[in-house]
Amino acid sequence: DAYAIKFNSAGTKVWGNNFGGSQNEIFNNGIALSGGGYAFVGYTFTANDSDQVKGKHGGGSTSDIWFVKTDAQGNLTQQKCVGGSGNDIGVGLTELANGGILIFGNTYSNDFEVSENFGGSDMWLVALDANAEKAWDLSYGGSGDDAINDIYVSGTQTSIAGKTNSLDFGYYYSTGGNDGVFWKIQNSNGIQLG
């Protein structure tokens, strides 16, 4: 199971809760939400046999990105599996000005919520609305394995940091092994700035 714990400013545990089903779940990132409560992202292998994990794509041998929202006491209020039939891993998330959530991670999928895959693992951004329904998604990568490490959102611009070993990654390409990449996009439709 994934585990979330809250401490107060003195380092005393306020609450701690397990989340998940019969298989492996991991949270890779969590944030406090402006309206109260918390949001977490990671991945799950549980194939829809749990009260908490619902809507997973593929069987138990592949992972979906798993988004969880809680109230201020850490009680589950919302969950969403996003991805496709391949392995998908949530790396992090940020709250958007419209109340939605932008999840960033890596995907081997090319179906269900993943609109496009360029080969191997791609960097993937997926925006969820306030009801945890997909608003839009964007994939970045080439025919090799590409991975996102972090993002920074400022107004209508999003900066993406990651790595690639693709020789055909858009305007950028690997010069051997894994190379660092930095992209900047703007607007919700992901227009590349350069």
Side-chain angles (χ1 to χ4, degrees), residues 36-103:
Y38 302 90
F40 303 92
V41 73
Y43 57 92
T44 179
F45 282 92
T46 297
N48 303 313
D49 63 355
S50 162
D51 290 339
Q52 292 189 339
V53 182
K54 299 182 187 314
K56 184 177 174 297
H57 310 92
S61 63
T62 61
S63 62
D64 260 8
I65 292 174
W66 195 38
F67 166 73
V68 168
K69 190 184 284 189
T70 73
D71 61 20
Q73 290 73 43
N75 300 306
L76 180 74
T77 59
Q78 194 176 59
Q79 73 86 42
K80 178 79 171 183
C81 292
V82 290
S85 57
N87 281 313
D88 310 297
I89 295 176
V91 174
L93 73 169
T94 188
E95 188 174 13
L96 299 173
N98 65 8
I101 296 287
L102 179 63
I103 295 171

Side-chain angles (χ1 to χ4, degrees), residues 33-182:
L33 298 171
S34 60
Y38 302 90
F40 303 92
V41 73
Y43 57 92
T44 179
F45 282 92
T46 297
N48 303 313
D49 63 355
S50 162
D51 290 339
Q52 292 189 339
V53 182
K54 299 182 187 314
K56 184 177 174 297
H57 310 92
S61 63
T62 61
S63 62
D64 260 8
I65 292 174
W66 195 38
F67 166 73
V68 168
K69 190 184 284 189
T70 73
D71 61 20
Q73 290 73 43
N75 300 306
L76 180 74
T77 59
Q78 194 176 59
Q79 73 86 42
K80 178 79 171 183
C81 292
V82 290
S85 57
N87 281 313
D88 310 297
I89 295 176
V91 174
L93 73 169
T94 188
E95 188 174 13
L96 299 173
N98 65 8
I101 296 287
L102 179 63
I103 295 171
F104 58 96
N106 304 303
T107 182
Y108 281 92
S109 298
N110 194 21
D111 53 8
F112 296 101
E113 282 105 359
V114 183
S115 299
E116 188 171 23
N117 184 292
F118 298 99
S121 170
D122 281 355
M123 302 176 186
W124 192 46
L125 301 177
V126 58
L128 303 180
D129 64 21
N131 297 315
E133 296 300 322
K134 177 185 155 183
W136 55 266
D137 77 303
L138 292 168
S139 298
Y140 293 99
S143 58
D145 286 328
D146 311 290
I148 194 167
N149 293 328
D150 206 357
I151 66 169
Y152 175 72
V153 177
S154 176
T156 61
Q157 297 183 359
T158 301
S159 301
I160 303 170
K163 64 180 180 178
T164 182
N165 67 14
S166 294
L167 299 176
D168 54 354
F169 185 140
Y171 300 104
Y172 308 95
Y173 58 90
S174 173
T175 57
N178 285 316
D179 287 354
V181 292
F182 180 80

